[in-house]
Structure formats: structure tokens, C-alpha cells
Amino acid sequence: MDYRSTGVDLDSAERTKDALKALVDSTRDAHTLSHMGLFGGLYQVPADLREPVLVSSADGVGTKLKVAFMTGRHGTVGQDLVNHCVNDILVQGARPIFFLDYLATGKLDEDVVPRVVEGMALACKANGCALLGGETAQMPDFYQAGEYDLAGFIVGVVEKAALLDGTRIEAGDRLIALPSSGLHTNGYTLARAILFERLGLGVDDALPWDPGTTVADALLAVHRSYLQPLAPLLDDGHIRGLAHITGGGIPGNLPRILPQGLGAAVDRSSWTVPALFQGLQEAGEVHREEMYRVFNMGVGMVVAVAASEAERVLALLEEAGETPWMLGQVTSGSGVVFQG
Amino acid sequence: MDYRSTGVDLDSAERTKDALKALVDSTRDAHTLSHMGLFGGLYQVPADLREPVLVSSADGVGTKLKVAFMTGRHGTVGQDLVNHCVNDILVQGARPIFFLDYLATGKLDEDVVPRVVEGMALACKANGCALLGGETAQMPDFYQAGEYDLAGFIVGVVEKAALLDGTRIEAGDRLIALPSSGLHTNGYTLARAILFERLGLGVDDALPWDPGTTVADALLAVHRSYLQPLAPLLDDGHIRGLAHITGGGIPGNLPRILPQGLGAAVDRSSWTVPALFQGLQEAGEVHREEMYRVFNMGVGMVVAVAASEAERVLALLEEAGETPWMLGQVTSGSGVVFQG
């Protein structure tokens, strides 16, 4: 017997590693001390911080991956993953410095893996972080043919004094919303059930409520990064808190950044929920509260600012090319109360 | 329709998170600035380093997880994962500071997940690193009932001047071996095929070549950490290089730390390959070269030291309770040449 006959091909793993080297190298920066192939990736802590705090997060892409499998489009899920991770540490005030991935599959596909990693490398470069390492695991009997799972780990850094930990948030602070770019990476199990099972659509079909968009394009829309528009505002100290709206939606994520004794009033009439969410809600006959708990409903990031700064921050975000809006405000109490 | 009916239970996820809080908190140290529940975990860079370099690694447990599923013993795979990661950054001279995990499953089992995390917390404490965060993903249709995948991500730190990057290794340096504690986390797809398919054994059966040990005990033996015996030697500057023997075995891992133009001579007569590997080789009729490429064969870590230091390092390791031996030496050339 040998390893290969049981489904693990070390030669294929070596070839795949070689194919990834250039991609990984393209994300190196002045602090990256290692090349691919070492046991651990090396990154020198930037010397210009007085009290550097590392901020880290782990995440996956969830069943959005199933859409990649159905369509054979593997170039975006890596971007989803990196951007999701970037947003999760941005909300503590941190800039990403490096990222690592875990890609597990039954049988290594030497064509697919580099396309996934290419997406990660692209997003790493766009967010100024190094793709410092990763693990590609061959696990026969774990994953169905043509499938893989993908997880990401990010580390960022922030000056301790600039940490966003919610403590500066007060009742009366304004909440500004930044739009999501689609479902991001949450709610895909429900969305897929509605589109593929209940409506019986295929990935190449048009959305019934949006004939110009295919199911595939709608579901694979890349989870965007909020680093670029928010970084200058973080530097200026305008921002008192940030909430990334992921699994759990607005009611599950906004309270995570609020100090004890504070809640949020969110004005539902302040924005038009994008057609994709409305279409899913109607087609799936999903209760409105369930929709807001599962999906981001068009709100990708919530920015808390002092009331006196709100207009100025809105204007700065618009100048940065964003389409922000006044979503609501911080209140005494707890949890999220929807109005309108 | 709702999320739960499609297989994703957010309430169960919340309850599981609550159950993990005490475990995660038990691993906090003075540098851990966050509690569970924030978007990112916070860790202050130790201030006592002049030029701190972060060393990071991502890894999985591979199909050793299948043995956990077969036996219902979920308490050790988390230890395997943490220790594997600790070793992977130790070989660059780094001490672990924090760890994050990714646990993905079809349907969340509220009994199993805390047992997995308990293993991680235990190993984190033993290795002096904080369990800083993680992601528990519910992915229906991805994983078979009762199964999960598990990935880990570690960050450690080392003074730049103390980085182990192999450049100090010279021809004539001695290679000292430290024993593995079993298969560690490599070769399980082949080992399972031999034991469960070819030999038709069950997890509770005794090993044919070792009637005192069950298949389950042999396969679930915890991948050990080498931090404790090696840390003092790293501090003293005795060590020129370290190779963690994982997938690819001695020939796949030892050359990774050797400078261009250097190889290694490994004396096969210097140790007795443990009965487990011998039994697998005979029962599976596996070629000897394949065995050495897939399994660690009893060698978990290789330590490169100057010839003049070798006896002293051996003695220090013995004093630390280890059973090290002289495995071979660094040569001119390339790759690993087995002798004996």
C-alpha cells in the first residue's frame, strides 16, 4: 500500500505549492521576513508604534462556497474571506498586517487551488497585508468531490491608545450606515434554499425580480472591504465605534460594540432594502425579523460618531466615494429597536 | 421559511459560545486585552523585545479527526492542533503568544464542540498562549453527520536577532532527535486504511503487535509539544536549527531548514522505530521509503547543534526528562541520505 492509493498525493501537493509561490510573494512588504516554505511565516512588528496591540480574527466563507462549486467560479471566495477578516479587525481600529489561510479538500485540484489563492492574494494586496502562510490539507472522505472548505486568519495592529473598544460611545451618538455589496458571506444556506429549492432556479438563470442579474452574479458578489474609506477617519479620531454586520445581522452585531446600558434605535425608513433581500424575503415567505437577523439587509458597516461630528463624517465618506446614510442613533437601554 | 429549517441554528450557536467563555477566559494572560465576543481578539505586543518578529502558522488535524468521530473521544484533537502549531513556530525560535481556531460542522453539536475547545484551551495553557478567538461555522451539506473539520492558527514572537532561519547551520553540525509521541497528526489516511480496511480492526481492538494497546489509544496519542524541553536551549543560543517532522517525514522536513549546498546524513541504526510504525509497515506492505516519507517513524523533532556542543545539548535534554539521541549530521550536498 502507499499514500497515493489511499487518496493523498504528496507530489500533487508539492506542485501546487510551487504554483502558489509567485502569488504569495506578490503580497510581500518590507516587514515580511520569510518566503513560502518555512514552517512559520515571519513578520516584523512595525517599529513606529509606541504600544502596539495585535488584533486577530478567524473566519470562513460559509456555504457561499457551494455557489463557487456550482458555477466553477473560484476566483472570488478568497476575496470574500480576506475582506471579511479585514473588516472584523478594522472595527477595533486595526490595519491588517498579515493573513493566513486553511484550505481543506478531499482530492487536491491543481487547477482550482491556485484560483482560490489568487483571490486571496488580490484582496491581500488591495488591503495592504501580506499573505504570510497557509495550509492546504488533503482529506479524502471528508469533502465531497469538487468541494473544499476555506478558513482565514488575519492579524492587524493598532496603537493601544487608538483601540476602538466601544468605551467612547455615548447615548445620542449618531449611527451612519455604509452599504453592503450584497449578501457578503452570511445567510447563504437560507438564500440557496430559497433560490435553488423553492424557486428551482439554476445559477445561470436571471433573478425573477431583476432580469439583468443572474443568480450566480448576485450570490457571488464580493464581500467588500471597508478599510479604504474608513482608514482616514480612524486616523482623525472621528470614529467612536464600528460594527461589521455579519451573521446575526444588525440586531446581532450592533449591540456587540455598545457599552452596558446603551442600545440603538435604527430607522428602517432611512434606506431602501436592496431588491435581492426583498426578493428573497417574498419568495421564501421569510418573516421580516428573521430576514434582519440572518442577512445584512443592505447595511454592511455601521459607524458610531458624536452627534456633532455626524454631518462632517457623512460628508467625508461621500468625498471618499461612499454612499453613506444616517441610520439611527445610540440610546439608553439595550439591544436594537427598529423604527419606521 | 427560516434559517433554522434550513439547518442553521443561531440560538444553538449562542448557547455554545456561552459554554466556551470560561474555557477561553482560562487561557488569558497579562497581554490579553479582549474577552470573547469582540470582532477581533486583542493582544498587546510584549514590550521587552527590541525588534519583535511575529511568527505565525496555520494547520489542521487531518483525518486523525476521523478517529475522534469513530471513538467519540473529542478531547485530544484540540491538543494535537495547538501542539502542532506550537512546534511549527518553535522551529523558528518563537514562543507562542496566541492561538485561534476554526471549527466547521454540518450541525452544531452542543456537547462535542466544548470538548474540542477544552482540548485546545488545555494545550494553550500548557504552552503559555492565549486562546484569543475563533470561528464556529455551521455548514449544512458540507460535513457528514457527527463530523467536523478543525483548523488552528498560531502567532508567536521572537527577538529578531534570535530568529532561527537555518543560516547558522554548517556542514559537520550534529543532528539530535527527540522522540515523537506516536503518529502525531500525519499519515492518518494511510494508517486508517491499513488498520480499519486491510486488517479489519475496530477502534477498541488491541493492536496485533501490541496486545496492551487499543487501536483508539494508539491513533489518538496526543501530538506532543517540544516547547518545554527546547525553550531553555533556545535562550542559551545552543540551537542552530530545528525541524518539526510532519507530513513528508524526515526527508520532507529536515531539508527545509538547511542552507543551500547542505544536506543531512541520518543514521537509521541510531534508533529503534516504534512498534506502531513497524506494525503498519508490515501489515500494509508499505515500502520502507514510503513509510519514511509519510510518517515520522519515531522522530518528532530534529535539533541541529555545533559538533562541539552536541554532547552538552544531549545532556541538557536528558536533564529535562527527554530521551534524545544522536541522529546524524549535516553534510555538504543536498537532501537526506539515510545510512544504516
PDB file of all heavy atoms in Angstrom, chain B residues 87 90-91 93 95 164 176-178 224-239 241-243 300-305 313 316-317 320 322:
ATOM      1  N   ASN B  87       4.856  23.756  17.755  1.00  0.00           N
ATOM      2  CA  ASN B  87       6.112  23.226  17.225  1.00  0.00           C
ATOM      3  C   ASN B  87       6.523  23.928  15.926  1.00  0.00           C
ATOM      4  O   ASN B  87       7.711  24.141  15.677  1.00  0.00           O
ATOM      5  CB  ASN B  87       5.987  21.725  16.960  1.00  0.00           C
ATOM      6  CG  ASN B  87       5.811  20.932  18.246  1.00  0.00           C
ATOM      7  OD1 ASN B  87       6.169  21.388  19.333  1.00  0.00           O
ATOM      8  ND2 ASN B  87       5.228  19.754  18.134  1.00  0.00           N
ATOM      9  N   LEU B  90       7.994  27.205  16.946  1.00  0.00           N
ATOM     10  CA  LEU B  90       9.176  26.979  17.791  1.00  0.00           C
ATOM     11  C   LEU B  90      10.418  26.778  16.927  1.00  0.00           C
ATOM     12  O   LEU B  90      11.518  27.222  17.281  1.00  0.00           O
ATOM     13  CB  LEU B  90       8.925  25.744  18.663  1.00  0.00           C
ATOM     14  CG  LEU B  90      10.006  25.351  19.652  1.00  0.00           C
ATOM     15  CD1 LEU B  90      10.125  26.380  20.773  1.00  0.00           C
ATOM     16  CD2 LEU B  90       9.714  23.967  20.251  1.00  0.00           C
ATOM     17  N   VAL B  91      10.250  26.116  15.795  1.00  0.00           N
ATOM     18  CA  VAL B  91      11.404  25.819  14.942  1.00  0.00           C
ATOM     19  C   VAL B  91      11.998  27.082  14.310  1.00  0.00           C
ATOM     20  O   VAL B  91      13.076  27.034  13.726  1.00  0.00           O
ATOM     21  CB  VAL B  91      11.077  24.782  13.837  1.00  0.00           C
ATOM     22  CG1 VAL B  91      10.710  23.454  14.469  1.00  0.00           C
ATOM     23  CG2 VAL B  91      10.004  25.274  12.898  1.00  0.00           C
ATOM     24  N   GLY B  93      12.321  29.639  16.380  1.00  0.00           N
ATOM     25  CA  GLY B  93      12.800  30.279  17.597  1.00  0.00           C
ATOM     26  C   GLY B  93      11.729  31.014  18.382  1.00  0.00           C
ATOM     27  O   GLY B  93      12.036  31.667  19.381  1.00  0.00           O
ATOM     28  N   ARG B  95       8.236  31.818  20.668  1.00  0.00           N
ATOM     29  CA  ARG B  95       7.323  31.328  21.709  1.00  0.00           C
ATOM     30  C   ARG B  95       5.918  31.749  21.321  1.00  0.00           C
ATOM     31  O   ARG B  95       5.718  32.891  20.914  1.00  0.00           O
ATOM     32  CB  ARG B  95       7.616  31.977  23.075  1.00  0.00           C
ATOM     33  CG  ARG B  95       9.059  32.013  23.452  1.00  0.00           C
ATOM     34  CD  ARG B  95       9.592  30.590  23.545  1.00  0.00           C
ATOM     35  NE  ARG B  95      11.053  30.637  23.498  1.00  0.00           N
ATOM     36  CZ  ARG B  95      11.815  30.772  24.571  1.00  0.00           C
ATOM     37  NH1 ARG B  95      11.270  30.886  25.760  1.00  0.00           N
ATOM     38  NH2 ARG B  95      13.124  30.794  24.453  1.00  0.00           N
ATOM     39  N   LEU B 164      15.547  31.717  14.295  1.00  0.00           N
ATOM     40  CA  LEU B 164      16.200  30.537  13.725  1.00  0.00           C
ATOM     41  C   LEU B 164      15.799  30.448  12.262  1.00  0.00           C
ATOM     42  O   LEU B 164      14.650  30.143  11.947  1.00  0.00           O
ATOM     43  CB  LEU B 164      15.729  29.277  14.436  1.00  0.00           C
ATOM     44  CG  LEU B 164      16.346  28.904  15.766  1.00  0.00           C
ATOM     45  CD1 LEU B 164      15.885  27.500  16.154  1.00  0.00           C
ATOM     46  CD2 LEU B 164      17.857  28.965  15.740  1.00  0.00           C
ATOM     47  N   ILE B 176      20.379  16.040  16.479  1.00  0.00           N
ATOM     48  CA  ILE B 176      19.868  15.300  17.635  1.00  0.00           C
ATOM     49  C   ILE B 176      18.368  15.103  17.447  1.00  0.00           C
ATOM     50  O   ILE B 176      17.662  16.031  17.051  1.00  0.00           O
ATOM     51  CB  ILE B 176      20.152  16.077  18.939  1.00  0.00           C
ATOM     52  CG1 ILE B 176      21.664  16.152  19.172  1.00  0.00           C
ATOM     53  CG2 ILE B 176      19.437  15.461  20.128  1.00  0.00           C
ATOM     54  CD1 ILE B 176      22.071  17.092  20.297  1.00  0.00           C
ATOM     55  N   ALA B 177      17.892  13.894  17.717  1.00  0.00           N
ATOM     56  CA  ALA B 177      16.464  13.603  17.569  1.00  0.00           C
ATOM     57  C   ALA B 177      15.767  13.615  18.916  1.00  0.00           C
ATOM     58  O   ALA B 177      16.324  13.200  19.931  1.00  0.00           O
ATOM     59  CB  ALA B 177      16.284  12.237  16.914  1.00  0.00           C
ATOM     60  N   LEU B 178      14.536  14.107  18.907  1.00  0.00           N
ATOM     61  CA  LEU B 178      13.647  13.939  20.056  1.00  0.00           C
ATOM     62  C   LEU B 178      12.492  13.045  19.608  1.00  0.00           C
ATOM     63  O   LEU B 178      11.979  13.193  18.492  1.00  0.00           O
ATOM     64  CB  LEU B 178      13.108  15.292  20.536  1.00  0.00           C
ATOM     65  CG  LEU B 178      14.144  16.190  21.220  1.00  0.00           C
ATOM     66  CD1 LEU B 178      13.553  17.561  21.525  1.00  0.00           C
ATOM     67  CD2 LEU B 178      14.630  15.526  22.514  1.00  0.00           C
ATOM     68  N   ARG B 224       2.714  15.718  20.651  1.00  0.00           N
ATOM     69  CA  ARG B 224       3.317  16.448  21.771  1.00  0.00           C
ATOM     70  C   ARG B 224       3.895  17.787  21.354  1.00  0.00           C
ATOM     71  O   ARG B 224       4.193  18.025  20.181  1.00  0.00           O
ATOM     72  CB  ARG B 224       4.392  15.595  22.442  1.00  0.00           C
ATOM     73  CG  ARG B 224       5.521  15.183  21.526  1.00  0.00           C
ATOM     74  CD  ARG B 224       6.693  14.634  22.318  1.00  0.00           C
ATOM     75  NE  ARG B 224       7.240  15.675  23.184  1.00  0.00           N
ATOM     76  CZ  ARG B 224       8.451  15.634  23.735  1.00  0.00           C
ATOM     77  NH1 ARG B 224       9.234  14.592  23.521  1.00  0.00           N
ATOM     78  NH2 ARG B 224       8.875  16.617  24.491  1.00  0.00           N
ATOM     79  N   SER B 225       4.050  18.644  22.336  1.00  0.00           N
ATOM     80  CA  SER B 225       4.736  19.923  22.150  1.00  0.00           C
ATOM     81  C   SER B 225       6.181  19.787  22.618  1.00  0.00           C
ATOM     82  O   SER B 225       6.462  19.126  23.619  1.00  0.00           O
ATOM     83  CB  SER B 225       4.033  21.008  22.975  1.00  0.00           C
ATOM     84  OG  SER B 225       4.894  22.124  23.153  1.00  0.00           O
ATOM     85  N   TYR B 226       7.091  20.433  21.893  1.00  0.00           N
ATOM     86  CA  TYR B 226       8.514  20.403  22.260  1.00  0.00           C
ATOM     87  C   TYR B 226       8.967  21.709  22.890  1.00  0.00           C
ATOM     88  O   TYR B 226      10.165  21.940  23.044  1.00  0.00           O
ATOM     89  CB  TYR B 226       9.357  20.065  21.017  1.00  0.00           C
ATOM     90  CG  TYR B 226       9.092  18.677  20.495  1.00  0.00           C
ATOM     91  CD1 TYR B 226       8.140  18.444  19.529  1.00  0.00           C
ATOM     92  CD2 TYR B 226       9.781  17.580  21.020  1.00  0.00           C
ATOM     93  CE1 TYR B 226       7.868  17.163  19.061  1.00  0.00           C
ATOM     94  CE2 TYR B 226       9.521  16.296  20.570  1.00  0.00           C
ATOM     95  CZ  TYR B 226       8.559  16.100  19.586  1.00  0.00           C
ATOM     96  OH  TYR B 226       8.299  14.818  19.149  1.00  0.00           O
ATOM     97  N   LEU B 227       8.001  22.561  23.227  1.00  0.00           N
ATOM     98  CA  LEU B 227       8.365  23.875  23.760  1.00  0.00           C
ATOM     99  C   LEU B 227       9.146  23.774  25.064  1.00  0.00           C
ATOM    100  O   LEU B 227      10.188  24.420  25.221  1.00  0.00           O
ATOM    101  CB  LEU B 227       7.085  24.706  23.974  1.00  0.00           C
ATOM    102  CG  LEU B 227       7.273  26.080  24.620  1.00  0.00           C
ATOM    103  CD1 LEU B 227       8.090  26.997  23.733  1.00  0.00           C
ATOM    104  CD2 LEU B 227       5.909  26.719  24.926  1.00  0.00           C
ATOM    105  N   GLN B 228       8.632  22.964  25.990  1.00  0.00           N
ATOM    106  CA  GLN B 228       9.231  22.940  27.323  1.00  0.00           C
ATOM    107  C   GLN B 228      10.704  22.500  27.320  1.00  0.00           C
ATOM    108  O   GLN B 228      11.540  23.221  27.856  1.00  0.00           O
ATOM    109  CB  GLN B 228       8.389  22.062  28.244  1.00  0.00           C
ATOM    110  CG  GLN B 228       8.348  22.618  29.651  1.00  0.00           C
ATOM    111  CD  GLN B 228       7.287  21.924  30.501  1.00  0.00           C
ATOM    112  OE1 GLN B 228       6.352  21.305  29.967  1.00  0.00           O
ATOM    113  NE2 GLN B 228       7.449  22.012  31.815  1.00  0.00           N
ATOM    114  N   PRO B 229      11.062  21.376  26.707  1.00  0.00           N
ATOM    115  CA  PRO B 229      12.485  20.998  26.742  1.00  0.00           C
ATOM    116  C   PRO B 229      13.378  21.910  25.908  1.00  0.00           C
ATOM    117  O   PRO B 229      14.559  22.060  26.234  1.00  0.00           O
ATOM    118  CB  PRO B 229      12.483  19.571  26.173  1.00  0.00           C
ATOM    119  CG  PRO B 229      11.222  19.464  25.386  1.00  0.00           C
ATOM    120  CD  PRO B 229      10.227  20.332  26.096  1.00  0.00           C
ATOM    121  N   LEU B 230      12.826  22.521  24.852  1.00  0.00           N
ATOM    122  CA  LEU B 230      13.692  23.273  23.935  1.00  0.00           C
ATOM    123  C   LEU B 230      13.825  24.748  24.286  1.00  0.00           C
ATOM    124  O   LEU B 230      14.817  25.382  23.901  1.00  0.00           O
ATOM    125  CB  LEU B 230      13.201  23.102  22.488  1.00  0.00           C
ATOM    126  CG  LEU B 230      13.388  21.690  21.920  1.00  0.00           C
ATOM    127  CD1 LEU B 230      12.815  21.590  20.514  1.00  0.00           C
ATOM    128  CD2 LEU B 230      14.878  21.284  21.911  1.00  0.00           C
ATOM    129  N   ALA B 231      12.860  25.294  25.022  1.00  0.00           N
ATOM    130  CA  ALA B 231      12.900  26.730  25.317  1.00  0.00           C
ATOM    131  C   ALA B 231      14.200  27.168  26.001  1.00  0.00           C
ATOM    132  O   ALA B 231      14.823  28.151  25.572  1.00  0.00           O
ATOM    133  CB  ALA B 231      11.681  27.138  26.142  1.00  0.00           C
ATOM    134  N   PRO B 232      14.660  26.449  27.037  1.00  0.00           N
ATOM    135  CA  PRO B 232      15.904  26.898  27.695  1.00  0.00           C
ATOM    136  C   PRO B 232      17.110  26.841  26.756  1.00  0.00           C
ATOM    137  O   PRO B 232      17.995  27.699  26.821  1.00  0.00           O
ATOM    138  CB  PRO B 232      16.091  25.904  28.859  1.00  0.00           C
ATOM    139  CG  PRO B 232      14.825  25.131  28.966  1.00  0.00           C
ATOM    140  CD  PRO B 232      14.068  25.275  27.691  1.00  0.00           C
ATOM    141  N   LEU B 233      17.125  25.849  25.861  1.00  0.00           N
ATOM    142  CA  LEU B 233      18.242  25.731  24.927  1.00  0.00           C
ATOM    143  C   LEU B 233      18.204  26.847  23.886  1.00  0.00           C
ATOM    144  O   LEU B 233      19.247  27.314  23.419  1.00  0.00           O
ATOM    145  CB  LEU B 233      18.205  24.375  24.221  1.00  0.00           C
ATOM    146  CG  LEU B 233      18.428  23.163  25.133  1.00  0.00           C
ATOM    147  CD1 LEU B 233      18.185  21.874  24.372  1.00  0.00           C
ATOM    148  CD2 LEU B 233      19.850  23.185  25.698  1.00  0.00           C
ATOM    149  N   LEU B 234      16.996  27.271  23.520  1.00  0.00           N
ATOM    150  CA  LEU B 234      16.879  28.402  22.599  1.00  0.00           C
ATOM    151  C   LEU B 234      17.409  29.668  23.274  1.00  0.00           C
ATOM    152  O   LEU B 234      18.126  30.459  22.662  1.00  0.00           O
ATOM    153  CB  LEU B 234      15.423  28.610  22.182  1.00  0.00           C
ATOM    154  CG  LEU B 234      14.881  27.618  21.145  1.00  0.00           C
ATOM    155  CD1 LEU B 234      13.367  27.754  21.021  1.00  0.00           C
ATOM    156  CD2 LEU B 234      15.549  27.820  19.787  1.00  0.00           C
ATOM    157  N   ASP B 235      17.062  29.829  24.552  1.00  0.00           N
ATOM    158  CA  ASP B 235      17.522  31.006  25.291  1.00  0.00           C
ATOM    159  C   ASP B 235      19.043  31.053  25.357  1.00  0.00           C
ATOM    160  O   ASP B 235      19.648  32.120  25.291  1.00  0.00           O
ATOM    161  CB  ASP B 235      16.963  30.983  26.722  1.00  0.00           C
ATOM    162  CG  ASP B 235      15.471  31.287  26.742  1.00  0.00           C
ATOM    163  OD1 ASP B 235      14.987  31.913  25.779  1.00  0.00           O
ATOM    164  OD2 ASP B 235      14.799  30.887  27.711  1.00  0.00           O
ATOM    165  N   ASP B 236      19.646  29.892  25.499  1.00  0.00           N
ATOM    166  CA  ASP B 236      21.102  29.829  25.659  1.00  0.00           C
ATOM    167  C   ASP B 236      21.849  29.953  24.340  1.00  0.00           C
ATOM    168  O   ASP B 236      23.080  30.032  24.346  1.00  0.00           O
ATOM    169  CB  ASP B 236      21.496  28.484  26.305  1.00  0.00           C
ATOM    170  CG  ASP B 236      21.055  28.416  27.747  1.00  0.00           C
ATOM    171  OD1 ASP B 236      20.591  29.457  28.257  1.00  0.00           O
ATOM    172  OD2 ASP B 236      21.157  27.338  28.351  1.00  0.00           O
ATOM    173  N   GLY B 237      21.114  29.906  23.219  1.00  0.00           N
ATOM    174  CA  GLY B 237      21.777  30.011  21.924  1.00  0.00           C
ATOM    175  C   GLY B 237      22.460  28.729  21.477  1.00  0.00           C
ATOM    176  O   GLY B 237      23.274  28.734  20.564  1.00  0.00           O
ATOM    177  N   HIS B 238      22.120  27.603  22.138  1.00  0.00           N
ATOM    178  CA  HIS B 238      22.742  26.328  21.783  1.00  0.00           C
ATOM    179  C   HIS B 238      22.279  25.804  20.438  1.00  0.00           C
ATOM    180  O   HIS B 238      22.946  24.985  19.811  1.00  0.00           O
ATOM    181  CB  HIS B 238      22.378  25.258  22.823  1.00  0.00           C
ATOM    182  CG  HIS B 238      23.171  25.367  24.086  1.00  0.00           C
ATOM    183  ND1 HIS B 238      24.535  25.413  24.099  1.00  0.00           N
ATOM    184  CD2 HIS B 238      22.781  25.432  25.381  1.00  0.00           C
ATOM    185  CE1 HIS B 238      24.954  25.493  25.344  1.00  0.00           C
ATOM    186  NE2 HIS B 238      23.910  25.522  26.144  1.00  0.00           N
ATOM    187  N   ILE B 239      21.089  26.216  20.029  1.00  0.00           N
ATOM    188  CA  ILE B 239      20.435  25.566  18.889  1.00  0.00           C
ATOM    189  C   ILE B 239      20.668  26.351  17.601  1.00  0.00           C
ATOM    190  O   ILE B 239      20.456  27.549  17.549  1.00  0.00           O
ATOM    191  CB  ILE B 239      18.926  25.405  19.170  1.00  0.00           C
ATOM    192  CG1 ILE B 239      18.736  24.444  20.341  1.00  0.00           C
ATOM    193  CG2 ILE B 239      18.186  24.923  17.932  1.00  0.00           C
ATOM    194  CD1 ILE B 239      17.302  24.258  20.771  1.00  0.00           C
ATOM    195  N   GLY B 241      19.355  25.088  14.559  1.00  0.00           N
ATOM    196  CA  GLY B 241      18.203  24.847  13.699  1.00  0.00           C
ATOM    197  C   GLY B 241      17.308  23.786  14.308  1.00  0.00           C
ATOM    198  O   GLY B 241      17.763  22.956  15.094  1.00  0.00           O
ATOM    199  N   LEU B 242      16.018  23.847  13.967  1.00  0.00           N
ATOM    200  CA  LEU B 242      15.045  22.872  14.438  1.00  0.00           C
ATOM    201  C   LEU B 242      14.148  22.487  13.275  1.00  0.00           C
ATOM    202  O   LEU B 242      13.692  23.355  12.533  1.00  0.00           O
ATOM    203  CB  LEU B 242      14.154  23.469  15.536  1.00  0.00           C
ATOM    204  CG  LEU B 242      14.758  23.743  16.908  1.00  0.00           C
ATOM    205  CD1 LEU B 242      13.757  24.528  17.762  1.00  0.00           C
ATOM    206  CD2 LEU B 242      15.131  22.432  17.594  1.00  0.00           C
ATOM    207  N   ALA B 243      13.889  21.198  13.135  1.00  0.00           N
ATOM    208  CA  ALA B 243      12.949  20.752  12.111  1.00  0.00           C
ATOM    209  C   ALA B 243      11.853  19.911  12.768  1.00  0.00           C
ATOM    210  O   ALA B 243      12.143  18.918  13.441  1.00  0.00           O
ATOM    211  CB  ALA B 243      13.662  19.944  11.032  1.00  0.00           C
ATOM    212  N   GLY B 300      10.194  13.095  16.237  1.00  0.00           N
ATOM    213  CA  GLY B 300       9.238  14.196  16.199  1.00  0.00           C
ATOM    214  C   GLY B 300       9.882  15.537  15.921  1.00  0.00           C
ATOM    215  O   GLY B 300       9.270  16.428  15.345  1.00  0.00           O
ATOM    216  N   MET B 301      11.129  15.682  16.352  1.00  0.00           N
ATOM    217  CA  MET B 301      11.820  16.965  16.216  1.00  0.00           C
ATOM    218  C   MET B 301      13.306  16.688  16.040  1.00  0.00           C
ATOM    219  O   MET B 301      13.849  15.805  16.701  1.00  0.00           O
ATOM    220  CB  MET B 301      11.592  17.803  17.484  1.00  0.00           C
ATOM    221  CG  MET B 301      12.205  19.184  17.487  1.00  0.00           C
ATOM    222  SD  MET B 301      11.419  20.347  16.331  1.00  0.00           S
ATOM    223  CE  MET B 301      10.005  20.905  17.280  1.00  0.00           C
ATOM    224  N   VAL B 302      13.939  17.423  15.151  1.00  0.00           N
ATOM    225  CA  VAL B 302      15.389  17.293  14.953  1.00  0.00           C
ATOM    226  C   VAL B 302      16.049  18.616  15.317  1.00  0.00           C
ATOM    227  O   VAL B 302      15.602  19.688  14.895  1.00  0.00           O
ATOM    228  CB  VAL B 302      15.717  16.910  13.495  1.00  0.00           C
ATOM    229  CG1 VAL B 302      17.232  16.851  13.288  1.00  0.00           C
ATOM    230  CG2 VAL B 302      15.081  15.569  13.134  1.00  0.00           C
ATOM    231  N   VAL B 303      17.093  18.514  16.119  1.00  0.00           N
ATOM    232  CA  VAL B 303      17.802  19.680  16.640  1.00  0.00           C
ATOM    233  C   VAL B 303      19.193  19.717  16.026  1.00  0.00           C
ATOM    234  O   VAL B 303      19.948  18.752  16.157  1.00  0.00           O
ATOM    235  CB  VAL B 303      17.927  19.585  18.185  1.00  0.00           C
ATOM    236  CG1 VAL B 303      18.526  20.861  18.763  1.00  0.00           C
ATOM    237  CG2 VAL B 303      16.576  19.253  18.831  1.00  0.00           C
ATOM    238  N   ALA B 304      19.526  20.815  15.354  1.00  0.00           N
ATOM    239  CA  ALA B 304      20.875  20.957  14.789  1.00  0.00           C
ATOM    240  C   ALA B 304      21.729  21.790  15.735  1.00  0.00           C
ATOM    241  O   ALA B 304      21.325  22.889  16.141  1.00  0.00           O
ATOM    242  CB  ALA B 304      20.804  21.629  13.420  1.00  0.00           C
ATOM    243  N   VAL B 305      22.891  21.253  16.100  1.00  0.00           N
ATOM    244  CA  VAL B 305      23.810  21.965  17.004  1.00  0.00           C
ATOM    245  C   VAL B 305      25.246  21.819  16.485  1.00  0.00           C
ATOM    246  O   VAL B 305      25.558  20.884  15.741  1.00  0.00           O
ATOM    247  CB  VAL B 305      23.755  21.408  18.452  1.00  0.00           C
ATOM    248  CG1 VAL B 305      22.377  21.618  19.063  1.00  0.00           C
ATOM    249  CG2 VAL B 305      24.120  19.928  18.481  1.00  0.00           C
ATOM    250  N   VAL B 313      24.363  19.405  24.751  1.00  0.00           N
ATOM    251  CA  VAL B 313      22.927  19.547  24.479  1.00  0.00           C
ATOM    252  C   VAL B 313      22.200  18.238  24.784  1.00  0.00           C
ATOM    253  O   VAL B 313      21.110  18.238  25.376  1.00  0.00           O
ATOM    254  CB  VAL B 313      22.699  20.006  23.022  1.00  0.00           C
ATOM    255  CG1 VAL B 313      21.230  19.893  22.640  1.00  0.00           C
ATOM    256  CG2 VAL B 313      23.188  21.443  22.843  1.00  0.00           C
ATOM    257  N   LEU B 316      21.801  18.158  28.468  1.00  0.00           N
ATOM    258  CA  LEU B 316      20.783  19.100  28.937  1.00  0.00           C
ATOM    259  C   LEU B 316      19.374  18.575  28.644  1.00  0.00           C
ATOM    260  O   LEU B 316      18.459  18.715  29.458  1.00  0.00           O
ATOM    261  CB  LEU B 316      20.975  20.469  28.276  1.00  0.00           C
ATOM    262  CG  LEU B 316      22.176  21.286  28.775  1.00  0.00           C
ATOM    263  CD1 LEU B 316      22.413  22.500  27.875  1.00  0.00           C
ATOM    264  CD2 LEU B 316      21.946  21.732  30.230  1.00  0.00           C
ATOM    265  N   LEU B 317      19.201  17.984  27.469  1.00  0.00           N
ATOM    266  CA  LEU B 317      17.881  17.442  27.120  1.00  0.00           C
ATOM    267  C   LEU B 317      17.528  16.265  28.026  1.00  0.00           C
ATOM    268  O   LEU B 317      16.373  16.105  28.433  1.00  0.00           O
ATOM    269  CB  LEU B 317      17.849  17.022  25.641  1.00  0.00           C
ATOM    270  CG  LEU B 317      17.785  18.188  24.651  1.00  0.00           C
ATOM    271  CD1 LEU B 317      18.049  17.719  23.220  1.00  0.00           C
ATOM    272  CD2 LEU B 317      16.424  18.886  24.730  1.00  0.00           C
ATOM    273  N   ALA B 320      16.336  17.473  31.191  1.00  0.00           N
ATOM    274  CA  ALA B 320      14.968  17.996  31.077  1.00  0.00           C
ATOM    275  C   ALA B 320      13.944  16.875  30.971  1.00  0.00           C
ATOM    276  O   ALA B 320      12.755  17.126  30.762  1.00  0.00           O
ATOM    277  CB  ALA B 320      14.861  18.921  29.862  1.00  0.00           C
ATOM    278  N   GLU B 322      14.019  14.324  28.739  1.00  0.00           N
ATOM    279  CA  GLU B 322      13.867  13.797  27.381  1.00  0.00           C
ATOM    280  C   GLU B 322      14.725  12.540  27.171  1.00  0.00           C
ATOM    281  O   GLU B 322      15.620  12.251  27.953  1.00  0.00           O
ATOM    282  CB  GLU B 322      14.287  14.854  26.351  1.00  0.00           C
ATOM    283  CG  GLU B 322      13.354  16.042  26.280  1.00  0.00           C
ATOM    284  CD  GLU B 322      11.999  15.676  25.700  1.00  0.00           C
ATOM    285  OE1 GLU B 322      11.946  14.838  24.782  1.00  0.00           O
ATOM    286  OE2 GLU B 322      10.988  16.225  26.182  1.00  0.00           O
TER     287      GLU B 322
END
